[in-house]
Amino acid sequence: MLDIISRIFFRDHGGSREVARERLRLVLIHDRASVSPNFLNAMKEELIKVIREYMDIDEESLVVSFENEEDSVALVANIPIRGFRHAVNE
Amino acid sequence: MKSRVLVVTSGKGGVGKTTTTANLGTALAMMGKKVVLLDTDIGLRNLDVVLGLENRIVFDIVDVVNAKCKLKQALIRDKRFEGLCLLPAAQTKDKSAVTPHQMKNLTNELRSDFDYILVDCPAGIEQGFRNAIAGADDAIVVATPEVSSVRDADRIIGLLEAAGLNKSRLIINRLRSKMVKRGDMMNIEDILDILSIDLLGVVPEDEVIVISTNRGEPAVMENASRAGAAYRRIARRVTGEEVPMFNLDDSNNILDRFKKLLKLAR
């Protein structure tokens, strides 16, 4: 009850601060990643190393990039698979 | 005392680098420190007018690095404050008139005569920026609570780190506590979270800044100015003194007191 009163009287609405913070967060993910090309390349190398243990992949055509969704940023890796290294027997 | 070279930078223009340099420098001089302010915004000099020293310029920074005059001849003594000097930027040249190497030599030469060498950096990340940071021991990053300014500050902090300046500190400028309170402006924590950098101080939005800039008298000279008081506290922090962050709660009206009471009751 007190909450409702205080919301009516004191305008506790979701202000533009939240919007600013969220937009800034997303734009900085892009900025920071694109500012240092080493970052993406280093991550790509690591990814290849791990995946290679399980699969035979086409390392040349592997693409790692950032993609914008409505309210999030996704890391998208497109990794063509040639085949599995070996059957995993438990 | 070991002298310090501090560069005041921001990336984005218009967030208060020059105002900060003028006020911080004046406040340090008021504390009895020997301070020189370097305007490195060649082609767009402004620190002279903010300080009210525009009529006394004879030589400038480009004359000094090109050995057209002696360093002492180009320094303008501020007669209001013992120990405050300005080295103005050139107005007719461009940013390539000085190299980072020359800047480093210049700041090193100034170390023998001054406690604090404050370098007012131009906006942008090109040569003017590289010149300004060349001789710096530390950086002061100025940002306003806006998306564009914080974004540019993030970029600048990255560039400063790449140049070996890892202990940059942040001044949040032009904060409007009323807007923060109603959720329409990012607050101090929001900005510190995003930038992950130490806070040097917070300067509230203050009309006195406009008035003092009109007159060419830094706001720190005004006792009643809230921004001026904030800059005086920042100056003390720069000298290593522990000064608690000021409570920016400027509104003390009945409604706010009632709100606080409600919060306590909950």
Side-chain angles (χ1 to χ4, degrees):
Chain A
M1 185 62 196
L2 210 58
D3 256 16
I4 295 165
I5 293 170
S6 96
R7 227 173 274 166
I8 292 164
F9 279 97
F10 310 129
R11 291 175 294 169
D12 253 3
H13 59 80
S16 59
R17 165 214 172 200
E18 286 297 335
V19 182
R21 211 165 52 152
E22 194 51 22
R23 290 179 60 219
L24 197 47
R25 192 180 67 80
L26 295 179
V27 82
L28 285 184
I29 293 174
H30 272 278
D31 283 2
R32 286 172 184 169
S34 57
V35 157
S36 77
N38 290 340
F39 167 83
L40 262 183
N41 281 334
M43 192 171 62
K44 213 162 130 178
E45 302 275 307
E46 294 277 318
L47 274 174
I48 290 174
K49 234 190 279 174
V50 173
I51 296 166
R52 212 165 36 191
E53 290 187 21
Y54 299 89
M55 294 172 194
D56 182 14
I57 55 171
D58 182 0
E59 291 171 24
E60 291 301 306
S61 34
L62 177 144
V63 179
V64 180
S65 64
F66 288 94
E67 276 178 22
N68 257 341
E69 308 279 311
E70 183 64 18
D71 55 353
S72 65
V73 176
L75 176 72
V76 178
N78 196 337
I79 310 166
I81 304 166
R82 289 209 190 99
F84 285 83
R85 280 252 182 264
H86 44 71
V88 184
N89 291 319
E90 283 295 313
Chain B
M1 186 194 146
K2 201 170 156 279
S3 69
R4 310 278 306 148
V5 180
L6 302 171
V7 59
V8 179
T9 183
S10 69
K12 189 177 180 299
V15 299
K17 282 180 298 295
T18 303
T19 306
T20 295
T21 309
N23 279 286
L24 182 55
T26 306
L28 285 165
M30 287 164 84
M31 292 167 69
K33 306 291 180 192
K34 284 190 208 155
V35 184
V36 61
L37 309 179
L38 260 66
D39 190 348
T40 61
D41 201 347
I42 297 166
L44 292 168
R45 90 172 158 219
N46 269 326
L47 189 52
D48 55 336
V49 286
V50 173
L51 287 162
L53 299 173
E54 68 272 22
N55 293 327
R56 296 185 44 210
I57 296 176
V58 182
F59 297 108
D60 57 51
I61 195 165
V62 176
D63 295 325
V64 174
V65 297
N66 290 333
K68 295 254 171 68
C69 68
K70 293 216 173 78
L71 175 55
K72 292 242 161 78
Q73 288 177 290
L75 290 177
I76 301 163
R77 250 168 224 296
D78 192 323
K79 288 167 183 161
R80 296 162 297 188
F81 307 101
E82 180 80 33
L84 182 62
C85 285
L86 167 71
L87 182 56
Q91 185 68 324
T92 52
K93 315 273 186 345
D94 65 67
K95 269 138 195 156
S96 60
V98 179
T99 66
H101 180 70
Q102 288 171 324
M103 271 300 298
K104 201 168 180 179
N105 288 342
L106 177 62
T107 49
N108 278 339
E109 198 179 336
L110 289 163
R111 280 178 200 269
S112 53
D113 288 321
F114 294 95
D115 301 321
Y116 290 97
I117 298 139
L118 300 188
V119 184
D120 185 16
C121 179
I125 55 173
E126 296 83 22
Q127 178 156 359
F129 169 76
R130 287 199 298 276
N131 282 342
I133 67 167
D137 300 318
D138 277 316
I140 294 171
V141 177
V142 183
T144 58
E146 292 159 280
V147 176
S148 51
S149 172
V150 176
R151 180 195 199 178
D152 287 4
D154 186 77
R155 181 95 166 88
I156 284 294
I157 292 164
L159 290 170
L160 289 168
E161 277 173 8
L165 296 167
N166 299 312
K167 285 183 294 180
S168 307
R169 285 184 289 176
L170 180 73
I171 291 179
I172 299 174
N173 197 18
R174 310 190 65 172
L175 190 87
R176 301 188 191 198
S177 52
K178 276 187 188 138
M179 289 190 74
V180 170
K181 239 184 248 170
R182 66 166 196 256
D184 271 327
M185 183 175 264
M186 285 187 284
N187 62 32
I188 299 165
E189 286 86 68
D190 291 341
I191 298 166
L192 292 180
D193 263 4
I194 288 164
L195 296 178
S196 43
I197 166 178
D198 286 341
L199 182 66
L200 180 61
V202 180
V203 181
E205 174 82 49
D206 185 356
E207 286 187 1
V208 176
I209 292 288
V210 178
I211 297 164
S212 68
T213 307
N214 286 345
R215 295 200 171 119
E217 294 166 353
V220 287
M221 295 163 70
E222 281 302 323
N223 276 326
S225 164
R226 298 176 60 240
Y231 278 122
R232 286 196 296 273
R233 281 192 302 277
I234 288 170
R236 284 161 61 199
R237 284 186 204 115
V238 166
T239 65
E241 202 181 317
E242 291 269 338
V243 185
M245 287 294 157
F246 190 66
N247 180 16
L248 288 157
D249 216 341
D250 58 344
S251 51
N252 226 346
N253 58 38
I254 290 171
L255 193 70
D256 281 312
R257 277 189 221 164
F258 179 58
K259 251 203 274 186
K260 268 184 209 151
L261 215 69
L262 276 181
K263 270 189 193 145
L264 282 176
R266 251 188 283 175

